[in-house]
Amino acid sequence: MFRAASSASIFLLATSLVAHAGGDPALGKKVFNRCIACHEAATDRDKVGPHLLGVVGRTAGSAESFLGHYSEAMKSAGSGGLVWDEANLTEYLKAPKLKVPGNKMAFGGLTNDDDIANVIAYLKADPKP
């Protein structure tokens, strides 16, 4: 009996960790509303900041349509090998000025790990919810 309960507990914990790591694109869309004034994620239209369509897997500072507008810090980060994978996006979304010192983004970052995972899931989603 104890073994079955322990196995069930471990299974539930493991599935909740996987769900957290993957995030929820629909919830991420709601969180992305904080970003929408400066960024577009469903189209390749730039705003104050570059579009984020296809950002996951893209080299930092490399969106063709925004090349003339990136900060030197973001261009240098990209030429230094920074690629927007999930780990780098997580760090950047928590503290943009720490991940890429000198970048132009005014947003201070997201503090909730679930919000970050959900935004990344939204950015990765194709089609967007």
Side-chain angles (χ1 to χ4, degrees), residues 7-122:
S7 296
S9 297
I10 291 170
F11 175 75
L12 289 173
L13 177 62
T15 56
S16 70
L17 290 174
V18 169
H20 172 75
D24 181 326
L27 293 175
K29 182 177 183 178
K30 291 178 183 177
V31 176
F32 190 79
N33 284 332
R34 300 179 204 172
C35 314
I36 201 91
C38 297
H39 296 283
E40 177 64 50
T43 73
D44 62 357
R45 186 179 134 235
D46 294 323
K47 292 184 173 182
V48 172
H51 72 84
L52 301 177
L53 184 66
V55 70
V56 180
R58 186 165 73 207
T59 300
S62 69
E64 287 285 327
S65 58
F66 204 76
L67 288 178
H69 304 285
Y70 283 111
S71 65
E72 286 303 316
M74 192 60 72
K75 291 177 195 175
S76 294
S79 64
L82 179 63
V83 173
W84 295 125
D85 59 18
E86 290 183 46
N88 284 323
L89 280 169
T90 297
E91 289 179 37
Y92 187 75
L93 291 172
K94 279 186 181 192
K97 297 292 185 190
L98 290 177
K99 181 65 178 173
V100 181
N103 79 77
K104 292 181 187 178
M105 191 160 89
F107 184 67
L110 296 171
T111 56
N112 183 294
D113 290 339
D114 288 332
D115 285 349
I116 292 168
N118 292 335
V119 166
I120 293 171
Y122 172 68

